Amino acid sequence: MKQTRKEKILIVDDSELNRAILADMLGEEYDIVEAENGLEGVGILQKMGTELSLVLLDIVMPEMDGFGMLDIMHQNHWIDDIPVIMISAESGSSHIERAYELGVTDFIARPFDALIVHRRVVNTILLYAKQKKLVGMVADQIYEKERQGNLMIDILSHIVEFRNGESGLHVLHVRTLTELLLHRLSQKTDRYSLTPAEISIITTASSLHDIGKIAIDENILNKPGRLTDEEFAVMKTHTTVGADMLENLPIHQHDPLVKVAYQICRWHHERYDGRGYPDGLKGDDIPISAQVVALADVYDALTSVRVYKPPFPHDEAVQMILDGKCGTFNPLLLECLQENSEIIRSGLAGSDSQTQRDQREMRNISQEMHRYEELTASERTLQLLEHERMKYSFFAAMTQEIQFEYTASPAMVTISAWGAEKLGLGETVMDPLHNDDVLSLMAPEWTQGLSNALHSTCPDQPVVTYDCQLNLNGEIRWFRIVARATWSADEPARYMGAIGKAIDIHDSRMKLHALEQMASHDTLTGLLNHAYAKKRILERIESRPTGSFALAIFDLDHFKSANDTYGHSFGDHVLTYVAEKLRQSIRDGDIAARVGGDEFLIFLEHKGDVEPVVSRIFEALCGTYEDFTISVSMGIAPTSTAGCDYETLFHAADQALYTVKRGGRGQYRFYDESMKQTLSAISPIDSGGGADTASADQKGEGQT
């Protein structure tokens, strides 16, 4: 026995007792869905939509009251399809009047009377069901009349094409092109005031553009060679013959479709420069309907097989039209043709497959109609939508991704059940940019950054990928948000919101960061390595070509004795200690690196005299570690002396260091021209040697 589907009723009341009483009264006949406040109610409406047959709504509730929920139902037009009965102990006339003004269907006062509640619920649901059925019947009748009208037009057009020996796709192609060009034209300009209804009429009427050919001799229509002047004169009469046929219709003379079809039949061979026929109209004296069909007709004639020619490729056909080889057309329409070029190429090329898809779809619909003969087309649509919603909910739960939908007006985000639990939020959050729970989860700069990224999209490029940090139960983790902004179809398009998902990328990002650290940093000291420091220095110089910089190289005096006396493990501790001292002594923005062995590099920017900065760093580095005295020798090369080329700068600092070594160590010196011919102090760096051995017994010059 076939089971009837129960209607669903949403009860929105902050009192659990009230919800329980109503559920007991109605639960045997209806499926009951409950919400504790208006905010929860909005979230359920967002998910279930017209699955709900009725809303029983309390007035006074926390977080969002009944009037707030009604406002949102108005903004989203839910109130048009889902009736609302207000329930409240508030019986004041102002409350009741305001509720009716906001669209409620009925009012039930507490305490509840079971008979009254049941009768009003049944009556309201039956009333709306009848209205839906009537709307569905009207929609079905309109659809059927339109389908039959289009079918008759297609049959008539096909008869003409059959006599003409042309492909039966010519009418379909012209209609498709006409619709594409009209939509693009309406987006580019309001010069022609093309409404969706007018575009639909012109598109349908375009199928009749050549009906006058039914009166042309087949020998002329299908002649494989060039027409004589006399034959061409006869051929041209198809424009006036078709117009006369429409003008002399005994009925429907004032129907908009007939008027537009007349324009198209008579003037679709007129040209923008006045060199067309039959009337030599010029510019916008030619109705826009005829102008668009003329361009569509020419394009398809060029790209289709004819008895007198093979087809031209798409690109060549478009270029011929743009070059004026097929007559002159409205410049705006030529722009539309160019802008839709790829759509036209793929759209017309796929006509056969599209036809096949339509046939398959019709077979599927026929099967569905056979199974559900009692359903109207509108009800079938609702069932299909409910099925799609069920699939979406299932897949969202299975993927364990944080999926969301955001609407800008009202500002509201709806989160998948799994995602809401993961984030510790409700499934519906109002005004998320100013919600404390959201801001504790996602810092204001991240929320604003995501909002800015979505607003900066456009209908043609709506997808955004945005990496940010979320605070999950006190743990900061990286997430990647992939979202698609939604825009209205009107002109100019309005930002309406977004749909998207958030993916936890923290572990992979940390692994990548660790790999980057390994590639760019010295494993012992944690400072940059030489290769990465060089890269950073070059970027700094390039970004600030007028800046004043200095590069310093230093090493530890007598470091070999530390290794020999205390062992290599102790030597590693000394290097780590010096690296930490170096980190503490430089400023943010300065670059420090270990370039090999006991040698280190510093790159700093300065204003005015750099020596006080160098002296401070030098003094900070000297001292003791346990029983080992730390002394350093340092060479400095300012860009003002050595230039900005990295290799030259590094070599100059190296020569200054060698000069210090030769002069007795424990000092620093700035590079000058006298050091040009000195040997390298740290040339053995890359092969693992140290600078100490190269200058152990040198004596000489004092500190600068």
Side-chain angles (χ1 to χ4, degrees):
M1 183 176 177
K2 182 178 177 182
Q3 291 185 341
T4 57
R5 188 174 57 117
K6 284 187 176 182
E7 307 277 358
K8 290 184 175 69
I9 295 177
L10 170 62
I11 302 174
V12 187
D13 195 317
D14 61 323
S15 168
E16 186 176 0
L17 177 61
N18 289 338
R19 297 199 306 272
I21 292 172
L22 290 168
D24 286 342
M25 291 178 179
L26 303 168
E28 288 188 11
E29 295 181 55
Y30 302 98
D31 284 337
I32 304 300
V33 184
E34 297 183 23
E36 293 183 359
N37 53 62
L39 189 60
E40 277 191 23
V42 168
I44 292 170
L45 281 167
Q46 182 88 4
K47 285 184 178 179
M48 300 184 70
T50 51
E51 284 184 63
L52 297 169
S53 299
L54 176 69
V55 176
L56 296 176
L57 180 62
D58 189 17
I59 294 178
V60 181
M61 293 181 290
E63 300 212 32
M64 179 185 287
D65 64 13
F67 294 126
M69 183 170 169
L70 281 172
D71 283 335
I72 291 177
M73 289 185 72
H74 262 287
Q75 292 177 39
N76 288 278
H77 303 289
W78 294 330
I79 198 78
D80 299 337
D81 300 309
I82 306 170
V84 178
I85 296 178
M86 287 297 263
I87 51 174
S88 180
E90 298 285 341
S91 57
S93 60
S94 61
H95 282 90
I96 296 174
E97 183 179 352
R98 185 181 175 194
Y100 281 122
E101 286 175 354
L102 288 171
V104 302
T105 304
D106 208 340
F107 185 90
I108 299 175
R110 289 198 297 261
F112 301 122
D113 182 298
L115 181 62
I116 292 176
V117 169
H118 182 267
R119 190 68 264 165
R120 289 185 176 177
V121 165
V122 170
N123 287 345
T124 301
I125 290 177
L126 284 176
L127 175 62
Y128 265 69
K130 287 179 180 178
Q131 289 178 341
K132 286 181 180 178
K133 188 172 182 178
L134 286 172
V135 170
M137 289 171 63
V138 172
D140 288 347
Q141 289 175 11
I142 292 172
Y143 168 77
E144 185 60 22
K145 287 185 69 176
E146 185 174 347
R147 188 188 68 81
Q148 290 180 0
N150 286 335
L151 178 61
M152 293 305 297
I153 290 172
D154 286 346
I155 291 171
L156 178 59
S157 303
H158 186 69
I159 291 170
V160 174
E161 296 303 315
F162 181 78
R163 288 193 72 249
N164 200 19
E166 294 178 353
S167 162
L169 291 174
H170 176 64
V171 170
L172 174 61
H173 287 176
V174 169
R175 189 161 60 203
T176 301
L177 280 165
T178 298
E179 186 172 24
L180 280 171
L181 292 170
L182 285 169
H183 276 297
R184 185 62 189 141
L185 185 64
S186 69
Q187 293 168 355
K188 287 180 70 69
T189 179
D190 56 3
R191 178 166 147 190
Y192 300 102
S193 301
L194 291 165
T195 66
E198 288 170 328
I199 291 173
S200 177
I201 289 172
I202 296 171
T203 300
T204 302
S206 70
S207 299
L208 300 172
H209 68 286
D210 274 343
I211 60 170
K213 286 185 178 178
I214 202 166
I216 305 299
D217 189 324
E218 287 188 32
N219 293 325
I220 296 176
L221 278 177
N222 299 318
K223 183 177 179 179
R226 185 181 181 85
L227 297 178
T228 64
D229 291 345
E230 293 77 11
E231 290 169 335
F232 186 54
V234 173
M235 178 66 83
K236 289 196 293 185
T237 62
H238 81 275
T239 56
T240 52
V241 169
D244 290 343
M245 290 168 61
L246 292 167
E247 192 173 34
N248 294 324
L249 283 174
I251 55 175
H252 305 304
Q253 276 296 310
H254 301 293
D255 191 284
L257 178 64
V258 175
K259 290 182 178 180
V260 172
Y262 174 90
Q263 296 172 353
I264 292 171
C265 283
R266 185 173 187 94
W267 293 311
H268 72 280
H269 280 287
E270 300 287 356
R271 292 296 177 261
Y272 205 66
D273 59 358
R275 297 185 180 183
Y277 64 86
D279 300 317
L281 299 184
K282 186 175 182 179
D284 282 335
D285 289 340
I286 310 166
I288 192 61
S289 57
Q291 291 189 50
V292 175
V293 173
L295 181 55
D297 188 33
V298 166
Y299 171 86
D300 191 61
L302 289 172
T303 55
S304 302
V305 176
R306 293 289 185 265
V307 293
Y308 53 85
K309 72 165 191 66
F312 290 100
H314 166 82
D315 291 334
E316 187 175 349
V318 170
Q319 197 57 51
M320 289 172 69
I321 294 171
L322 296 176
D323 292 343
K325 294 181 180 179
C326 307
T328 306
F329 295 93
N330 187 330
L332 279 173
L333 288 180
L334 294 180
E335 289 178 19
C336 294
L337 177 67
Q338 287 180 285
E339 291 162 4
N340 275 339
S341 176
E342 291 308 313
I343 298 174
I344 291 169
R345 184 206 304 271
S346 58
L348 297 191
S351 293
D352 290 336
S353 59
Q354 181 62 50
T355 302
Q356 293 165 2
R357 286 195 295 272
D358 289 345
Q359 290 171 346
R360 286 195 297 272
E361 184 64 22
M362 288 302 295
R363 283 197 297 272
N364 292 337
I365 292 173
S366 298
Q367 292 170 2
E368 289 294 313
M369 290 174 68
H370 180 71
R371 289 172 56 200
Y372 302 104
E373 290 179 352
E374 75 281 5
L375 296 179
T376 68
S378 300
E379 290 171 319
R380 286 194 302 274
T381 302
L382 289 177
Q383 281 202 351
L384 291 172
L385 288 173
E386 289 175 16
H387 180 64
E388 289 302 314
R389 189 179 295 113
M390 178 190 69
K391 286 198 300 184
Y392 167 79
S393 299
F394 173 74
F395 288 130
M398 290 294 290
T399 56
Q400 292 196 340
E401 291 175 340
I402 301 170
Q403 300 184 357
F404 64 88
E405 179 178 355
Y406 172 73
T407 57
S409 180
M412 175 175 69
V413 64
T414 305
I415 310 169
S416 62
W418 187 90
E421 184 178 355
K422 177 81 172 175
L423 297 175
L425 296 173
E427 293 184 29
T428 302
V429 180
M430 301 301 298
D431 196 10
L433 292 178
H434 301 95
N435 182 280
D436 290 340
D437 291 335
V438 173
L439 294 177
S440 67
L441 176 77
M442 189 177 185
E445 60 268 22
W446 292 118
T447 55
Q448 193 59 53
L450 176 59
S451 177
N452 293 343
L454 288 168
H455 277 86
S456 65
T457 63
C458 61
D460 294 334
Q461 294 179 313
V463 178
V464 164
T465 300
Y466 185 78
D467 290 356
C468 63
Q469 291 179 321
L470 300 184
N471 182 356
L472 296 186
N473 299 318
E475 181 187 4
I476 303 298
R477 295 186 67 83
W478 280 97
F479 278 77
R480 173 162 294 157
I481 296 174
V482 182
R484 187 189 196 281
T486 53
W487 293 83
S488 66
D490 50 356
E491 283 290 331
R494 291 176 293 104
Y495 173 73
M496 299 179 66
I499 55 173
K501 62 181 181 180
I503 309 160
D504 190 328
I505 60 167
H506 188 79
D507 293 339
S508 59
R509 189 178 178 109
M510 290 301 99
K511 287 178 182 177
L512 181 60
H513 179 70
L515 290 172
E516 289 175 346
Q517 283 288 107
M518 290 174 62
S520 60
H521 287 70
D522 173 57
T523 54
L524 176 63
T525 63
L527 296 175
L528 297 177
N529 58 36
H530 189 188
Y532 197 73
K534 176 180 176 181
K535 179 175 178 291
R536 291 271 302 274
I537 291 168
L538 289 171
E539 290 172 352
R540 181 71 58 79
I541 293 173
E542 184 177 355
S543 66
R544 296 180 57 78
T546 60
S548 298
F549 303 99
L551 188 149
I553 299 172
F554 72 88
D555 67 7
L556 276 63
D557 299 327
H558 310 295
F559 180 66
K560 184 174 182 300
S561 67
N563 284 329
D564 292 344
T565 305
Y566 302 101
H568 287 283
S569 177
F570 179 83
D572 288 346
H573 287 303
V574 171
L575 292 174
T576 304
Y577 174 81
V578 170
E580 184 57 34
K581 283 287 186 180
L582 178 56
R583 259 191 292 267
Q584 294 172 4
S585 63
I586 62 175
R587 304 159 301 177
D588 290 341
D590 292 342
I591 297 171
R594 182 186 178 203
V595 296
D598 63 331
E599 295 85 22
F600 296 83
L601 172 151
I602 310 168
F603 183 79
L604 49 88
E605 186 172 4
H606 62 91
K607 294 181 179 178
D609 189 5
V610 71
E611 182 165 1
V613 179
V614 171
S615 178
R616 177 182 55 78
I617 295 173
F618 181 85
E619 293 298 332
L621 293 172
C622 296
T624 59
Y625 177 76
E626 296 186 1
D627 294 331
F628 180 73
T629 300
I630 297 175
S631 168
V632 301
S633 296
M634 181 184 295
I636 309 102
T639 53
S640 58
T641 304
C644 291
D645 176 72
Y646 179 79
E647 300 300 337
T648 304
L649 194 63
F650 185 87
H651 186 61
D654 185 11
Q655 289 174 315
L657 172 59
Y658 182 78
T659 302
V660 172
K661 289 290 191 179
R662 193 175 60 187
R665 310 181 191 177
Q667 306 172 58
Y668 65 83
R669 284 203 61 174
F670 284 83
Y671 173 80
D672 60 42
E673 291 293 321
S674 67
M675 303 175 186
K676 267 191 174 181
Q677 304 305 318
T678 57
L679 299 174
S680 171
I682 61 169
S683 56
I685 284 177
D686 293 330
S687 60
D692 241 9
T693 56
S695 57
D697 298 317
Q698 302 295 331
K699 299 179 181 178
E701 299 173 18
Q703 184 172 332
T704 303

